[in-house]
Amino acid sequence: MADKMIALRLDKNLYERIAEDAARENRSINNYIVTKLSEAVPTNNLEQRQIVGSVVRGDKINMANDLIEVKGIYYRYDLLANDSVNSRGNYQVIKATGNILTIQELKSE
């Protein structure tokens, strides 16, 4: 399933609060909003409920075996928009499909 783009209208005060929280967590505003929405929308999938939105250090990703450790459990992963893992970076789980997690490197703005 492809990602969808939407436009949101936020009042200035809400936008500023979101921007401050995202900055405090060293995340983009988009990533912050997606994570909050993922947490708020219920799902029947255990990985979706407990894993999506998690932030994982790059050193928890084993490129040789294509495994990522999240909350003590190993999953296969797909890396969004990158060819290699930055072991010093942080990655967020943005999607879970069965035992395969889609991850994206968090960029500081």
Side-chain angles (χ1 to χ4, degrees):
M1 183 161 74
D3 291 342
K4 303 287 183 187
M5 291 182 60
I6 63 169
L8 293 175
R9 288 190 179 100
L10 303 173
D11 70 47
K12 185 178 178 181
N13 184 289
L14 176 59
Y15 179 85
E16 288 172 354
R17 291 188 346 243
I18 289 170
E20 288 173 9
D21 283 353
R24 215 177 353 265
E25 295 179 18
N26 195 29
R27 295 160 58 185
S28 70
I29 292 170
N30 182 73
N31 181 274
Y32 180 85
I33 291 171
V34 168
T35 300
K36 292 299 180 185
L37 288 172
S38 296
E39 291 169 355
V41 177
T43 179
N44 293 327
N45 177 308
L46 176 68
E47 280 78 14
Q48 288 288 347
R49 287 193 313 265
Q50 296 184 349
I51 304 298
V52 171
S54 297
V55 176
V56 180
R57 292 189 333 252
D59 63 356
K60 295 288 187 182
I61 301 170
N62 183 328
M63 287 184 55
N65 295 324
D66 291 328
L67 295 174
I68 182 171
E69 180 185 348
V70 182
K71 298 185 178 184
I73 300 172
Y74 288 91
Y75 295 89
R76 296 242 174 246
Y77 71 90
D78 286 327
L79 185 57
L80 189 66
N82 283 352
D83 295 328
S84 61
V85 172
N86 173 2
S87 63
R88 295 186 197 169
N90 288 314
Y91 292 81
Q92 182 171 38
V93 178
I94 59 172
K95 184 170 139 185
T97 307
N99 68 342
I100 300 173
L101 305 180
T102 302
I103 61 173
Q104 181 175 23
E105 186 172 11
L106 294 175
K107 302 282 185 186
S108 54
E109 293 181 31

